[in-house]
Amino acid sequence: MSGAIVVEDPEGSLPPEIEAMREVVMVLQETNIESGTLRNYKAASEIAGSNMPLYGGGGGSSRAESKDEKGETAQDEEGESEVLHFATVNGQYQPIVQAQPGEAFRVRLIHGGNNDHMHVSLVPTDAAAAATATATAQGTGQGGRREDGPAEDHSGGGKASSGCTLLTLARDGVYLRQAPRLQSGGGHVVIAPGSRADLAVLCEEAGVYRLASSKGGNDEEEQDSIMSYLGQETDVFEGTLAFVDVGGDALDMELPEKSPAAAGSDRLLQDLRDIPDNEVSRFVFEFNAADKVSHLGNTYTWYGVNGVQYTNSSHIMRRVPLGSVEEWVVVNQRKGRGEGEQGLPVGCDRGGPGEVTADGHPFHLHVNHFQVVGSSWGDDGPDWSVGDWRDTISIPTPGNVTIRWRADDFTGEAVAHCHIFGHSDTGMMMNFEIFDSI
Ligand SMILES: [Cu+2]
């Protein structure tokens, strides 16, 4: 079960373009049920007249297609090998969001799912694509492309063909300093389980658009790029999340040109990159995944952090003085159990036994946000840049991300973990404690 708690900005504190936007909250969830249980859902779905796709595979690319797929597999009485795998938005299956042409609105996207990464874009259905093509041919539009505004400064390959502009304003509840930002070339947003993205959306042309997740980008190059970042074995949801139905009177709203955080002076936004290296404490946090093990009749993959499987909630792996700044290198490099607490990996590219891993892990830190200060991937990931603040980040696989965070305000025990629950629940988690040193 999950839901959204939205902490609103104080009235009058935002740029007028953002203030004027309507808000759409979207809590994403996934369901993934195999074999036997699926038959119950199938029966319930058919009785209810639902168009939910009860077949093996992704969430379907459209309502019509889902229905066809369901029809095709209705003959399959066994269903043993089938997998029911779909995503919902606010508990609804592929809901429709209404919008007007030229209307800028804000989407608060919250990934409350447990396993799949989302690689989200807003793409026209065939009808919208045809309308856009017609408008372009007649010279009455630019294929949906905005020629003015901030989007142009960060424009990537896919915007012209999409008809909509999708800009990131904030991640994990913190406004980006360099916002609004078009990310990942074609306007895709990567959202890991547990992470949040605040987006500004504007569609110029009337039509029906799909808010969809896919491994693909607008071209092969982008697809290669996203999977080589996340790891080839990482699960990325493929299917429609929601539809945006753009119609009615055209509006002439503007996308914001500057970030609400640009002049931020609160302590959270103090740039931790300015702190000298000798004033931070370094720690290496390594994700470990090893062979399958049997326990109480179940077989599962061994998951751990720094060579330790989380089984003891009173075991503290890291103690942090209140007010101090931590620098953690979060590593996902090799298969195997790692070297344990007594022999923490000293470098990012840990040697020793174990193949290079292709299974990605979103790192999540409780209590304090962290700032990205470096990565084996370079200064810009698919959905982050050095300097950004987050509480959840996917680690390049194989590779590492270096973060800094200040132990602010709160003392006590907390956890850092992979946000794929199948991993964290079987051991990919560690305790740390913030203590008052005075
Ligand atoms: Cu994981």
Side-chain angles (χ1 to χ4, degrees), residues 134-183:
T134 306
T136 306
Q138 292 171 346
T140 56
Q142 299 287 339
R145 185 181 198 131
R146 286 181 69 79
E147 293 299 338
D148 55 349
E152 192 60 19
D153 299 333
H154 308 276
S155 71
K159 187 153 56 78
S161 63
S162 137
C164 295
T165 303
L166 202 65
L167 300 174
T168 305
L169 300 173
R171 291 301 307 250
D172 298 346
V174 180
Y175 287 110
L176 303 176
R177 280 177 206 223
Q178 290 83 36
R181 188 188 297 167
L182 181 74
Q183 288 170 309

Side-chain angles (χ1 to χ4, degrees), residues 328-342:
W328 291 13
V329 184
V330 184
V331 182
N332 182 28
Q333 187 73 33
R334 288 181 186 277
K335 293 182 182 176
R337 295 195 178 203
E339 295 166 34
E341 280 182 275
Q342 302 310 312

Side-chain angles (χ1 to χ4, degrees), residues 293-300:
V293 292
S294 285
H295 181 64
L296 300 175
N298 294 308
T299 303
Y300 58 91

